[in-house]
Amino acid sequence: ASIFFAFMLFSALLAGCAQQQAQGSELVIYTYDSMVSEYGLGPKVIPKFEAKCNCKVKMVAKGDAGQVLNSVILEKSSPKADLVIGIDNSMAAGAIEKGVLGKFTPSNISIVPRELLFDSEGYITPYDYGYFAFIYDSNKIKSGLDSFDSMLDSRLEKKIAIQNPRTSSPGLGLLLWSVAVYGDPGYREFWKKFRPNVLTVTAGWDESAGLFGSGEVPIYLSYTTSPPYYVQFEDKQNYLAASFKEGHYAQIEGIAIVKGAKNRRLAEEFIEFSLTEDFQNEIPLNQFMFPVNQGVKLPDSYIYAPKPVKQLQLEPKLVKDKQEEWILEWEKIMKSG
């Protein structure tokens, strides 16, 4: 009996240590600015996860998604983050090649529809998706924006804000979208004609959205799912997404473990949590993207989020191989004005 008692005491001590360890551990997540903002997804889902794991989560904003990945690459030899949120289908092949991510397949991965699983190597787990689109103020822009050609109208001169493909995932998305529509080298001609209509190229999405919100530009690059935000929170039904007959480029966002993460077990738990309805239910009205969990009911405001007639994608490997060349060409064209 005394041996049994000693064993039980020892087990209790071990459990106590484990619990203290869990309480003292802090999951560090690198992500983009809008995720951690007051109205972002982070503040809604992090407390739920902290209660579930009996741990602390520290979300660190690093700018736009491109800047998030750059931060992880810079810290490769001594990683400070456990998880990275926001690596999308366009950045995936490059991120994997840099060797900064750790492989992990969550046990509940079957929640994600097969067509959204963009990483066949098992590093990145999708959590939401959307489609790039130009958002416009229909009180100011009367002529129909229904194609890439319509964006070349001289009446739109200096009326559009876009993002830099080197630092921003929507910025890169627009460049890839133009390649998907016009091919290579055809996309260059589009950009030469489009350039006069661009007022500014911002480093990240937030700045472009701010210029649009303050009325400094009547058009900016965002997502088909952005109008529900303006309907839901600003009661504005005049901010619309232009539906292009050529189709829209899809963005699928994912979460990945940082290679060498100090809190790998917690990181794995968080990825599994990200696919549950506790997390996914918060996506439509906080992230303003479509949740990957098809069990989530979309709010009424999503009738303002047009479904593309055609979904466009480029092969991830092609993007990895050609992305730098396309960005350099884009920079040359944009600087020549």
Side-chain angles (χ1 to χ4, degrees):
S2 59
I3 292 172
F4 176 73
F5 178 75
F7 173 75
M8 291 299 287
L9 186 64
F10 179 65
S11 299
L13 282 169
L14 275 181
C17 289
Q19 194 175 18
Q20 280 179 338
Q21 198 176 17
Q23 285 173 332
S25 54
E26 181 179 66
L27 183 69
V28 179
I29 301 173
Y30 281 5
T31 189
Y32 45 80
D33 292 351
S34 57
M35 176 70 75
V36 302
S37 72
E38 186 187 346
Y39 305 106
L41 182 63
K44 304 291 187 305
V45 297
I46 294 305
K48 291 184 190 180
F49 182 70
E50 286 179 330
K52 201 177 169 68
C53 72
N54 191 27
C55 64
K56 278 282 170 218
V57 177
K58 182 182 179 186
M59 264 196 163
V60 184
K62 290 285 183 179
D64 213 306
Q67 295 159 305
V68 173
L69 179 57
N70 287 341
S71 299
V72 176
I73 292 166
L74 287 171
E75 294 171 5
K76 184 178 178 179
S77 58
S78 179
K80 295 184 176 64
D82 299 303
L83 272 179
V84 57
I85 296 183
I87 293 179
D88 66 14
N89 49 315
S90 302
M91 299 159 61
I96 291 164
E97 189 184 53
K98 292 285 184 189
V100 291
L101 307 179
K103 278 191 180 185
F104 176 64
T105 303
S107 60
N108 53 352
I109 192 69
S110 60
I111 286 169
V112 183
R114 188 164 292 164
E115 64 271 19
L116 297 177
L117 295 169
F118 60 88
D119 166 29
S120 60
E121 294 182 64
Y123 288 94
I124 305 164
T125 301
Y127 62 93
D128 72 13
Y129 67 102
Y131 304 93
F132 298 114
F134 285 97
I135 304 301
Y136 66 100
D137 182 346
S138 60
N139 289 343
K140 295 177 181 175
I141 304 294
K142 299 296 182 187
S143 54
L145 303 180
D146 62 358
S147 63
F148 269 97
D149 280 352
S150 70
M151 301 301 292
L152 306 178
D153 192 317
S154 59
R155 287 172 293 183
L156 301 181
E157 189 177 350
K158 296 211 175 338
K159 286 198 160 85
I160 304 167
I162 62 170
Q163 296 98 51
N164 191 322
R166 202 172 277 292
T167 52
S168 156
S169 55
L172 177 59
L174 176 58
L175 178 56
L176 300 180
W177 188 7
S178 69
V179 174
V181 169
Y182 291 102
D184 181 3
Y187 77 98
R188 296 179 201 176
E189 280 311 304
F190 164 75
W191 280 98
K192 284 172 191 169
K193 293 174 187 167
F194 182 53
R195 190 190 64 225
N197 291 351
V198 176
L199 174 70
T200 186
V201 178
T202 61
W205 175 88
D206 287 39
E207 300 97 307
S208 290
L211 292 170
F212 179 78
S214 64
E216 289 175 65
V217 289
I219 306 170
Y220 81 112
L221 174 68
S222 192
Y223 298 86
T224 62
T225 42
S226 296
Y229 166 83
Y230 297 111
V231 171
Q232 195 83 29
F233 293 113
E234 297 183 13
D235 199 25
K236 285 181 176 159
Q237 291 158 10
N238 55 306
Y239 291 172
L240 304 175
S243 284
F244 281 11
K245 53 191 174 208
E246 299 97 335
H248 291 253
Y249 201 87
Q251 181 185 35
I252 308 163
E253 296 188 293
I255 306 182
I257 294 176
V258 176
K259 192 176 180 181
K262 293 180 183 71
N263 291 301
R264 177 158 178 127
R265 185 185 57 78
L266 277 179
E268 290 177 359
E269 278 180 35
F270 188 90
I271 290 177
E272 302 210 324
F273 166 73
S274 76
L275 298 179
T276 65
E277 290 190 8
D278 266 355
F279 185 106
Q280 292 281 308
N281 279 331
E282 301 290 354
I283 286 172
L285 292 183
N286 294 291
Q287 191 71 351
F288 286 91
M289 295 282 269
F290 294 110
V292 296
N293 187 325
Q294 305 298 291
V296 172
K297 187 184 179 300
L298 293 173
D300 293 344
S301 55
Y302 267 66
I303 60 166
Y304 286 88
K307 278 278 166 74
V309 283
K310 197 169 158 197
Q311 299 179 22
L312 301 173
Q313 284 277 356
L314 293 172
E315 276 298 314
K317 189 180 182 312
L318 176 69
V319 173
K320 178 180 76 71
D321 293 344
K322 301 284 284 182
Q323 179 178 314
E324 185 57 26
E325 180 193 312
W326 291 335
I327 292 175
L328 286 170
E329 281 298 329
W330 177 88
E331 285 172 339
K332 231 184 281 178
I333 292 165
M334 297 307 279
K335 281 173 187 162
S336 63

